[in-house]
């Protein structure tokens, strides 16, 4: 069902923009979402206003009824944030997007938009520690249960995780920090044979290296705090809808297909057609949870997006070089990076990441946790940071930081050893990164 023209802003509908559909990623990064008219600012302006003025109560009532397009309160929509949402939707090849205050909020919304208390979902166990905790602990407290599965399990084993109340399947394109590649096509087929959507966290790959919708995923989420921003200046997240999932077919999603009592009895699939998922996420969950991106935050995110293709190519090139160096170093026990000959799933690398595999490398030193600490403490150029996917090379020990809440058993489920080190290769000259690694690693092999 086509989206009525006046509702495009609310649910989003970038795919209908003919010119943008024809543009390549590099051009979309610069031009999608904002096209200034004669005499208007060339650069996306910051609409630093929480609210918008109207001259008639009738018009404001129409806005609240979603019978007219327009901004009325920045929690629900803002011109700067809207432009960035359209840009990201265009990059992912989706019909609409919703920016959030962080990646955590995006993951939360992607689940809460289809699952309620009493429901269940399936997630790969190899995911970011914060998401693991959100799913295993906080959502459980809200009555939504998760089953974690090994993403290398057989189709039969995957099917066994499904229950009558299972509402979605979740995974990461490139897992943080174990650097496994999700077989998106296989997982989309798995979700679809049970009438439920596949949600993919595409934070590490970014739409420049992989577009999960091209392989059948239905919803994409990002921590935009990572590569999409890229400069470590702004927290953010985004939920993107492919517009391809049929919410009516299975009868499992009454919240999208039946009247919403909290919104004048609106039926999202009827009012918004292909853009129903984002319209509901915005009208219902963003309204109630309030985890919105700010106009200033969206402006920073937009600056980052403008150079995303250049950065991802260089991150990938530098990381491939560093991974080869590490793999040959005597102090290193193992290195996981999808371009290495030793990588277990090279077919997946070729299929999903032919343009590069981002800047993140997972490694373990021969001396385990203790050698890892000595290595990290003696780095000079490369900094120890609770961050990843920055333009500056940084390093972290997940077991004592991002994945600290997990037990050793849960760590193993996520593909993390106690001594695993996550190296995030930045945009410095490759020689300088290698030199710093060399001076920190050489003493360990003596
Ligand atoms: C893959 C992935 N998803 C989600 C998140 C959460 O994002 P944020 O820190 O922006 O809340 C992170 C954070 O590191 C991440 O790496």
């Amino acid at each position: 069902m086509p989206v009525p023209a006046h509702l495009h802003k609310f649910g989003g509908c970038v795919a209908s923009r003919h010119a943008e559909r024809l543009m390549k990623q590099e051009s979309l990064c610069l031009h999608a979402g904002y096209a200034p008219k004669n005499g208007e600012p060339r650069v996306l302006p910051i609409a630093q206003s929480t609210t918008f003025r109207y001259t008639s109560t009738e018009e404001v009532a129409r806005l609240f009824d979603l019978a007219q397009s327009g901004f009325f309160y920045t929690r629900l929509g803002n011109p700067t944030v809207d432009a960035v949402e359209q840009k990201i939707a265009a990059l992912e090849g989706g019909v609409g997007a919703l920016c959030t205050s962080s990646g955590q909020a995006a993951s939360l919304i992607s689940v809460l938009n289809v699952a309620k208390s009493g429901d269940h979902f399936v997630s790969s166990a190899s995911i970011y520690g914060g998401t693991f905790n959100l799913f295993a602990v906080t959502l459980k407290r809200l009555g939504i249960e998760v089953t974690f599965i090994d993403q290398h399990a057989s189709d039969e084993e995957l099917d066994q995780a499904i229950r009558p109340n299972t509402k979605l399947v979740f995974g990461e394109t490139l897992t943080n920090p174990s650097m496994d590649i999700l077989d998106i096509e296989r997982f989309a087929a798995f979700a679809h044979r049970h009438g439920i959507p596949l949600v993919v966290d595409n934070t590490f790959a970014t739409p420049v290296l992989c577009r999960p919708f091209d392989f059948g995923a239905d919803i994409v989420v990002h921590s935009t705090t990572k590569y999409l921003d890229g400069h470590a200046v702004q927290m953010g997240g985004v939920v993107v809808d492919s517009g391809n999932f049929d919410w009516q077919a299975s009868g499992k999603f009454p919240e999208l297909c039946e009247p919403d009592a909290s919104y004048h009895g609106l039926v999202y699939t009827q009012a918004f057609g292909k853009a129903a998922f984002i319209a509901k996420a915005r009208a219902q969950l963003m309204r109630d949870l309030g985890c919105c991106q700010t106009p200033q935050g969206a402006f920073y995110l937009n600056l980052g997006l403008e150079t995303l293709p250049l950065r991802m190519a260089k991150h990938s090139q530098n990381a491939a070089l560093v991974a080869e160096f590490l793999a040959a170093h005597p102090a290193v026990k193992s290195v996981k990076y999808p371009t290495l000959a030793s990588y277990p799933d090279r077919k997946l690398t070729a299929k999903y990441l032919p343009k590069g595999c981002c800047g993140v490398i997972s490694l373990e030193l021969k001396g385990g946790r203790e050698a890892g600490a000595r290595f990290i403490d003696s780095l000079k150029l490369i900094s120890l940071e609770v961050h990843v996917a920055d333009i500056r090379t940084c390093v972290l020990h997940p077991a004592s930081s991002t994945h600290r809440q997990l037990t050793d058993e849960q760590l193993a489920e996520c593909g993390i050893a106690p001594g695993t080190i996550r190296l995030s290769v930045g945009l410095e000259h490759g020689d300088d990164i290698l030199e710093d690694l060399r001076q920190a690693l050489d003493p360990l092999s003596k």
Side-chain angles (χ1 to χ4, degrees), residues 361-365 372 375-376 395-398 419-423:
I361 298 172
S362 176
L363 70 139
E364 215 185 325
L365 300 184
F375 162 68
I376 291 177
V395 70
L396 192 70
H397 176 228
T420 296
I421 292 169
R422 186 183 70 191
L423 181 65

Side-chain angles (χ1 to χ4, degrees), residues 100-107 127-131 170 172-177 201-204 221-226 234-238 386-389 402-403 422:
T100 59
S101 53
S102 69
Q104 286 298 91
S107 300
I127 51 173
Y128 164 61
T131 316
F170 188 99
E172 292 178 0
T173 312
L174 262 173
T175 63
N176 176 7
D201 181 335
N202 199 30
T203 298
F204 275 13
V221 295
H222 284 272
S223 164
T224 63
T225 319
K226 307 298 173 323
Q234 181 64 47
M235 297 297 296
V238 70
V386 181
H387 192 39
V388 63
T402 50
H403 292 66
R422 186 183 70 191

Side-chain angles (χ1 to χ4, degrees), residues 105-407:
S107 300
L108 175 67
I109 283 183
S110 74
V111 176
L112 287 189
N113 213 29
V114 292
K116 60 182 181 318
S117 177
D119 284 339
H120 167 260
F121 68 106
V122 171
S123 172
S124 165
S126 299
I127 51 173
Y128 164 61
T131 316
F132 192 100
N133 210 59
L134 167 68
F135 290 177
V137 181
T138 301
L139 286 181
K140 190 171 178 197
R141 283 193 190 126
L142 296 178
I144 300 172
E145 214 183 320
V146 64
T147 298
F148 289 110
I149 41 98
D150 176 352
Q151 62 187 52
H152 301 104
S154 68
D155 287 352
E156 292 70 33
E157 286 167 323
L158 292 181
D159 287 340
Q160 279 163 18
I162 299 290
R163 304 174 190 173
N165 59 344
T166 305
K167 294 298 171 76
L168 69 125
V169 176
F170 188 99
E172 292 178 0
T173 312
L174 262 173
T175 63
N176 176 7
S178 56
M179 292 303 283
D180 283 310
I181 298 169
L182 183 74
D183 191 342
I184 299 171
E185 220 162 58
R186 186 165 87 88
F187 267 68
F190 161 48
H192 295 165
R193 69 178 167 267
H194 297 284
I196 56 177
L198 173 64
V199 180
V200 172
D201 181 335
N202 199 30
T203 298
F204 275 13
T206 84
V208 166
L209 300 180
C210 177
R211 297 204 320 173
F213 296 157
D214 294 344
F215 300 99
D218 303 289
I219 307 294
V220 155
V221 295
H222 284 272
S223 164
T224 63
T225 319
K226 307 298 173 323
Y227 285 121
L228 299 195
D229 163 357
H231 298 73
V233 293
Q234 181 64 47
M235 297 297 296
V238 70
V239 187
V240 193
D241 179 15
S242 67
N244 294 331
F245 191 78
D246 184 343
W247 300 106
Q248 273 160 322
S250 69
K252 291 185 179 190
F253 303 99
E255 298 84 356
L256 279 136
C257 309
E258 290 174 12
D260 177 0
S262 82
Y263 219 109
H264 322 302
L266 187 79
V267 178
Y268 294 101
T269 44
Q270 268 173 21
F272 294 94
K274 277 178 163 293
F277 185 88
I278 293 297
K280 175 178 177 292
R282 190 187 302 278
Q284 200 184 65
L285 294 178
M286 190 54 85
R287 177 197 62 190
D288 294 352
L289 301 178
C291 46
C292 57
Q293 180 55 281
T294 64
Q296 181 110 23
F299 176 82
Y300 289 134
L301 173 54
N302 187 53
L303 281 187
L305 286 168
E306 289 180 342
T307 57
L308 185 65
L310 287 172
R311 289 188 285 108
M312 292 318 291
K314 184 67 177 166
H315 278 295
S316 302
Q317 188 192 340
N318 270 356
L321 183 82
V322 168
E324 294 289 346
F325 165 83
L326 291 171
H329 198 283
V332 176
K333 181 176 163 195
S334 62
V335 188
K336 192 118 162 263
Y337 188 74
T339 58
L340 288 177
S342 59
Y343 190 73
D345 290 319
R346 285 291 289 274
K347 274 198 197 128
L348 297 184
T349 310
K351 178 169 177 178
Y352 294 109
L353 296 159
K355 290 193 273 181
C357 303
C358 90
V360 186
I361 298 172
S362 176
L363 70 139
E364 215 185 325
L365 300 184
K366 282 187 180 144
R369 194 187 275 259
E370 199 188 315
R374 269 181 67 200
F375 162 68
I376 291 177
D377 290 345
S378 44
L379 289 165
K380 295 188 170 113
L381 175 72
I382 300 168
S383 50
L384 169 60
E385 283 168 34
V386 181
H387 192 39
V388 63
D390 185 18
I391 48 174
R392 289 149 287 246
T393 301
C394 56
V395 70
L396 192 70
H397 176 228
S400 62
S401 55
T402 50
H403 292 66
R404 194 174 176 77
Q405 294 89 343
L406 307 195
T407 62

